[in-house]
């Protein structure tokens, strides 16, 4: 059963997945994301109301939640480093710069605050708004090699806390590594992960392309962020959908949609 989606509140709207969620949702109704003041506006943004806020400070955005039907939380970090510099890198040298410029002294850039606490703060604020019927949290299916296990443990902690909310329907999307041809460094990394995953699946004689392998994200194929964004919107429009949506569910929801660029999903 389809439900109307009149206004969507995207947390992290100027980030990696947030941008694509807004673009994909433009035909469904107004969107209220956060955006840096110096970000240039484009034609598709005419249906977007921009809000500058801090996820950990509800007073900076709570008023804008009042008229929204759903919230999509896209804030997260794969590394406790300059991750935005990493995903926007156009070369390996630029990517290495993002890794080197780690900020351990910056308390806000931690797995706990970024992957968990921002979602819980926004959810608590959304729970005070009767108009909010759905809350989407972008989680992950598993941890990746060489990535701190706190990356996935903080996401699981957020999931448990969000599901306890009875004020709205909670949808938890668990994609594998997400990539986009608009974020150059993510493409070769996705290709490498996909190739390694195929080799490992062949070695273990596995058929499913989305089955986790030996506690490693290598068993889950990378997903284009357009595919994830489409799945999120279709999930919000389906009132019968609830709880956790894994890689297979994401592909099923986005069926018929093919993004431009390499590594298109089947």
């Amino acid at each position: 059963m389809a439900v109307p989606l009149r206004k969507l509140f995207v947390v992290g709207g100027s980030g990696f997945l947030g941008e694509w969620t807004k673009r994909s949702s433009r035909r469904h109704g107004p969107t209220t994301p956060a955006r840096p003041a110096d970000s240039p506006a484009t034609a598709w943004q005419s249906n977007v109301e921009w809000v500058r806020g801090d996820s950990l400070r509800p007073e900076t955005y709570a008023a804008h939640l009042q008229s929204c039907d759903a919230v999509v939380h896209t804030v997260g970090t794969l590394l406790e480093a300059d991750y935005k510099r990493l995903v926007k890198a156009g070369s390996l040298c630029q990517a290495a710069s993002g890794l080197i410029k780690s900020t351990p002294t910056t308390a806000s850039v931690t797995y706990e605050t970024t992957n968990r606490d921002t979602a819980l703060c926004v959810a608590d604020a959304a729970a005070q708004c009767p108009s909010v019927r759905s809350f989407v949290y972008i989680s992950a299916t598993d941890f990746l090699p060489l990535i701190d296990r706190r990356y996935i443990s903080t996401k699981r902690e957020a999931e448990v806390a969000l599901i306890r909310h009875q004020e709205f329907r909670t949808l938890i999307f668990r994609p594998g590594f997400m990539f986009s041809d608009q974020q150059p460094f993510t493409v070769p990394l996705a290709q490498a992960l996909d190739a390694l995953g195929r080799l490992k699946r062949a070695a273990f004689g596995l058929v499913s392309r989305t089955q986790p392998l030996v506690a490693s994200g290598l068993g889950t194929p990378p997903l284009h962020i357009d595919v994830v964004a489409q799945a999120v919107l279709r999930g919000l429009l389906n009132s019968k959908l609830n709880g956790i949506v894994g890689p297979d569910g994401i592909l099923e929801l986005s069926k018929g949609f093919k993004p431009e660029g390499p590594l298109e999903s089947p």
Side-chain angles (χ1 to χ4, degrees):
M1 178 180 176
V3 294
L5 186 60
R6 293 167 297 182
K7 192 170 184 181
L8 185 65
F9 190 91
V10 181
V11 185
S14 61
F16 189 39
L17 178 61
E19 285 285 346
W20 273 259
T21 303
K22 298 198 303 291
R23 295 186 192 198
S24 298
S25 66
R26 65 188 184 277
R27 67 179 180 277
H28 294 294
T31 308
T32 303
R35 180 190 70 145
D38 57 352
S39 294
T42 55
W44 64 267
Q45 295 171 344
S46 61
N47 208 30
V48 173
E49 175 189 356
W50 298 102
V51 177
R52 178 189 287 274
D54 182 340
S55 300
L56 298 173
R57 296 173 56 208
E59 67 273 14
T60 65
Y61 57 83
H64 298 279
L65 282 168
Q66 297 297 325
S67 58
C68 293
D69 304 297
V71 176
V72 178
H73 182 278
T74 69
V75 176
T77 185
L78 184 64
L79 300 166
E80 287 182 325
D82 193 345
Y83 182 52
K84 286 188 176 181
R85 183 186 295 270
L86 175 66
V87 297
K88 293 180 179 180
S91 68
L92 290 176
C93 289
Q94 291 178 13
S97 174
L99 289 172
I100 292 170
K101 291 179 180 293
S102 182
T103 54
T105 58
T106 304
S108 61
V109 187
T110 68
Y111 292 119
E112 287 75 18
T113 55
T114 308
N115 293 348
R116 183 192 63 201
D117 297 347
T118 59
L120 302 188
C121 283
V122 175
D124 286 344
Q128 305 302 315
C129 302
S131 66
V132 176
R133 301 189 304 272
S134 303
F135 190 101
V136 171
Y137 176 65
I138 306 300
S139 186
T141 189
D142 208 343
F143 66 90
L144 293 168
L146 305 180
I147 300 298
D148 193 314
R149 286 176 179 267
R150 287 166 46 238
Y151 163 71
I152 199 68
S153 67
T154 51
K155 284 184 174 289
R156 294 292 179 264
E157 290 167 7
E159 292 178 5
V160 170
L162 290 171
I163 288 175
R164 290 175 180 158
H165 274 283
Q166 301 299 313
E167 300 87 352
F168 44 70
R169 170 181 60 140
T170 298
L171 291 171
I172 295 169
F173 284 77
R174 289 183 177 177
F177 181 79
M178 293 182 289
F179 72 95
S180 166
D181 47 297
Q182 299 299 315
Q183 307 289 354
F185 181 73
T186 64
V187 175
L189 183 54
Q191 291 171 333
L193 289 171
D194 188 57
L196 288 171
R198 289 175 184 273
L199 288 173
K200 197 167 187 179
R201 287 190 294 272
F204 281 85
L206 297 175
V207 177
S208 174
R209 295 195 65 210
T210 54
Q211 181 177 346
L213 297 174
V214 195
S216 170
L218 290 180
T220 305
L223 288 176
H224 195 289
I225 56 176
D226 281 357
V227 168
V228 179
Q230 283 290 318
V232 165
L233 291 168
R234 291 180 180 178
L236 284 171
L237 293 170
N238 182 355
S239 63
K240 295 182 179 180
L241 191 65
N242 196 21
I244 296 171
V245 183
D248 283 333
I250 293 172
L251 289 172
E252 181 66 25
L253 283 169
S254 63
K255 188 175 291 183
F257 173 78
K258 291 187 176 182
E260 297 180 358
L263 284 176
E264 291 185 356
S265 299

